[in-house]
Amino acid sequence: MRILAIETSCDDTAIALVEATGSISSPKFKILKSVISSQIEVHRPWGGVVPNLAKREHIKNLPEIFRQIFKLQFSNNNFQINSKSKAPKIDAVAVTVGPGLEPALWAGITFAKQVWQNLKSQNSNLKIIGVNHLEGHLYSFLLSDGLKTKNSKLKTLFPAVALIVSGGHTILLKMDSLTKWNMLGETRDDAVGESFDKVAKMLGFPYPGGPEIQKLAEKGNKSAISFPSPMLGTKDYNFSYSGLKTSVLYYLRDHNYQHQSSKNQYKSAFVADIAASFQEAALKVLVKKAGRAVNEFDAKSIFLSGGVAANKELREKLKVESKKLKVNFIAPPMNFNTDNAVMIAVAGYMGMLRKKNRKLIANGTMGI
Ligand code: KG4
Ligand code: ZN
């Protein structure tokens, strides 16, 4: 089955074309095309993502990327495909319906419906399916190179503990199979990615802050400052990041830190130590709670996904922890951690096999 997937839940406009085969217990995916158009430069002056700007950019980018993928020619507002020979060969359109910024989600949904309606005259079996963005992240471990080389049966990876860490979510799940899971815990306030973004901003670095903090932390001493790791010792599987962010704020205030927009900041040991110490405090809780869940549920694997899964230090820490616990550690390849449409195609295919279609209505707060 060839799936055209569309992702517009936040500030990345993404379209992918994926060939999906196999059953619900052993799905296989081949990425034919994947294009992501980042809006970072548009939102950067505002210090974060502005929903209506995101919507405007998605509306502009979607037909552009669609045209690029299928090498089609039409004006932006009129992409009628009248001849069967020119129609892209697809079997389903998958689109993110939530969670995310509602104006941004609507841009993707409206475009997906237009594509579907347009191509339906050429292929009356063409399906359209609404996808949960978090399921996209969750299933993105299926794209891992490690899975291909291991050639292991997916069944042997379960039960698994899955961490979804992004700009909007910090979720720990127990997965019994590819179709059955339950949430163990989540953040009580800020998401972990959000705390990276906010601390970077305090230090005077641009959005998105995660990659900036990672870069700074590589030059710093992670034991320099002992920032708190909120909820590290609690018996539940929840997280909290707003207190850590506030501790960094107070530390900066106490040290009269005023960021200048100079590149010298990268050379400042003070800033590097703050970044390294903050990162250490933020990641420590994720690793500890994932490890505890492995023990409690006798899990065979840890899956990591979401934008923060791009963090090298987190991947390293979880790799070490998995080795210690003698379980598999599986994370998507580097370009499929932050938002992309390939993961939406994967979740769309799984949704179709599970007969779980979602309404084509934007739902900003949809859970998993
Ligand atoms: O999954 P994603 O692209 O969007 C959401 O669904 O939220 O995640 C974006 C988040 C941002 O907060 C960004 O700062 C963070 O992922 N991020 C990172 C890194 N790369 C992206 N955080 C820490 N280290 C990174 N290398
Ligand atoms: Zn995401």
Side-chain angles (χ1 to χ4, degrees):
M1 177 178 257
R2 272 185 167 210
I3 303 173
L4 176 80
I6 296 165
E7 155 63 38
T8 63
S9 67
C10 193
D11 62 338
D12 289 302
T13 317
I15 304 188
L17 187 62
V18 173
E19 204 163 78
T21 52
S23 67
I24 191 124
S25 54
S26 69
K28 300 251 176 330
F29 302 95
K30 186 172 165 203
I31 303 164
L32 304 176
K33 292 265 162 61
S34 171
V35 178
I36 303 172
S37 170
S38 164
Q39 302 176 6
I40 284 175
E41 295 306 326
V42 176
H43 298 283
R44 201 162 253 174
W46 308 95
V49 181
V50 183
N52 276 325
L53 274 184
K55 174 185 165 184
R56 188 193 72 187
E57 292 298 303
H58 289 314
I59 291 172
K60 197 172 78 191
N61 295 337
L62 284 166
E64 196 63 50
I65 301 176
F66 184 79
R67 225 174 4 205
Q68 190 185 326
I69 285 186
F70 295 109
K71 298 188 176 67
L72 294 168
Q73 284 175 351
F74 48 74
S75 71
N76 266 6
N77 302 324
N78 177 18
F79 61 101
Q80 292 298 323
I81 297 160
N82 300 321
S83 109
K84 214 167 190 158
S85 62
K86 283 194 188 138
K89 309 252 172 308
I90 55 174
D91 302 293
V93 178
V95 61
T96 307
V97 293
L101 305 169
E102 291 199 358
L105 290 164
W106 274 120
I109 295 168
T110 308
F111 184 76
K113 280 186 181 166
Q114 270 176 300
V115 170
W116 177 72
Q117 260 152 11
N118 201 322
L119 296 183
K120 207 164 158 49
S121 55
Q122 319 294 341
N123 170 8
S124 56
N125 291 324
L126 185 67
K127 293 181 181 55
I128 182 162
I129 176 164
V131 176
N132 180 328
H133 180 85
L134 292 172
E135 287 184 13
H137 281 306
L138 183 64
Y139 279 130
S140 61
F141 81 90
L142 291 169
L143 301 166
S144 150
D145 298 327
L147 276 188
K148 282 182 222 146
T149 51
K150 238 180 224 155
N151 214 4
S152 57
K153 282 222 156 74
L154 280 175
K155 213 167 66 183
T156 63
L157 301 176
F158 297 99
V161 165
L163 253 181
I164 306 176
V165 281
S166 70
H169 296 86
T170 310
I171 298 175
L172 191 67
L173 300 136
K174 175 184 168 237
M175 274 184 104
D176 294 308
S177 69
L178 276 175
T179 56
K180 194 166 162 256
W181 58 78
N182 61 290
M183 199 201 281
L184 299 174
E186 64 182 325
T187 184
R188 292 267 174 86
D189 38 59
D190 292 353
V192 58
E194 191 180 352
S195 75
F196 272 77
D197 295 335
K198 286 179 175 168
V199 168
K201 194 173 174 183
M202 289 178 213
L203 292 172
F205 290 90
Y207 173 85
E212 300 286 341
I213 296 280
Q214 172 176 303
K215 206 161 29 167
L216 288 164
E218 280 164 12
K219 300 194 177 86
N221 171 5
K222 60 186 175 192
S223 318
I225 308 152
S226 74
F227 288 126
S229 284
M231 304 189 76
L232 185 67
T234 59
K235 292 209 162 61
D236 55 25
Y237 289 108
N238 290 323
F239 305 93
S240 164
Y241 281 97
S242 78
L244 171 58
K245 169 197 70 189
T246 312
S247 297
V248 177
L249 181 69
Y250 288 161
Y251 188 87
L252 292 176
R253 236 183 243 171
D254 293 347
H255 290 79
N256 290 321
Y257 178 77
Q258 279 175 334
H259 67 74
Q260 307 89 22
S261 54
S262 115
K263 287 186 190 128
N264 310 335
Q265 282 165 333
Y266 278 95
K267 290 188 191 135
S268 154
F270 175 78
V271 171
D273 283 351
I274 291 176
S277 304
F278 157 76
Q279 181 173 269
E280 180 65 13
L283 303 184
K284 208 194 283 179
V285 201
L286 299 172
V287 178
K288 176 154 183 208
K289 295 210 169 176
R292 226 186 64 219
V294 166
N295 282 330
E296 180 172 347
F297 302 107
D298 204 10
K300 307 281 182 287
S301 318
I302 297 177
F303 302 152
L304 176 69
S305 65
V308 184
N311 187 283
K312 285 190 205 147
E313 182 70 16
L314 177 58
R315 288 170 97 98
E316 192 50 41
K317 278 185 181 338
L318 283 172
K319 215 183 269 171
V320 171
E321 182 74 5
S322 307
K323 217 173 202 169
K324 204 168 85 192
L325 297 168
K326 297 193 174 62
V327 298
N328 305 292
F329 169 59
I330 304 174
M334 273 321 228
N335 39 345
F336 299 115
N337 295 296
T338 45
D339 291 346
N340 63 86
V342 172
M343 69 181 197
I344 300 306
V346 172
Y349 184 64
M350 298 306 286
M352 277 184 267
L353 295 180
R354 289 162 64 207
K355 306 210 178 335
K356 251 206 161 166
N357 199 350
R358 290 174 201 271
K359 280 194 193 130
L360 296 173
I361 294 173
N363 179 344
T365 57
M366 179 181 277
I368 189 160

